[in-house]
Amino acid sequence: GHEFYKDTIVGVAYAVNDSLAISYNTYTSSKHNLDGKNDEQETKAINIAYTIGGLTIGFQDAGTDNNGYVDQATDDTRTLSVKTAF
């Protein structure tokens, strides 16, 4: 059958100073099937970024519940990034 999705994204970001920023985000996605079966997945993530001149070092810790709309499936990721501007 056909399906549709309703997504809700909420986030807050805080610049501690000119070099350090922190953010927290939640992303909830509800999958609605016309046959009455509804599934939901939710991701929560915290991000930290530190900038020195043209160099930014970022870290994200994210976790997803009911990953891929599969009940009790989880996916946890940690990402470290280094970006340069010149």
Side-chain angles (χ1 to χ4, degrees), residues 2-84:
H2 292 81
E3 57 199 27
F4 69 94
Y5 299 83
K6 179 181 177 188
D7 298 334
T8 304
I9 303 167
V10 178
V12 62
Y14 179 70
V16 177
N17 54 41
D18 287 342
S19 299
L20 183 64
I22 300 172
S23 67
Y24 178 78
N25 307 286
T26 63
Y27 174 23
T28 304
S29 181
S30 299
K31 178 180 173 182
H32 300 273
N33 295 313
L34 296 181
D35 61 6
K37 186 173 186 292
N38 300 325
D39 298 304
E40 183 175 277
Q41 76 175 8
E42 181 179 48
T43 301
K44 296 178 182 178
I46 186 164
N47 300 278
I48 300 171
Y50 188 75
T51 302
I52 307 166
L55 178 70
T56 300
I57 300 169
F59 177 76
Q60 180 185 68
D61 186 7
T64 301
D65 293 329
N66 298 334
N67 187 45
Y69 305 97
V70 176
D71 192 30
Q72 298 183 7
T74 60
D75 181 30
D76 297 323
T77 60
R78 285 170 193 83
T79 306
L80 179 66
S81 64
V82 179
K83 300 174 187 174
T84 60

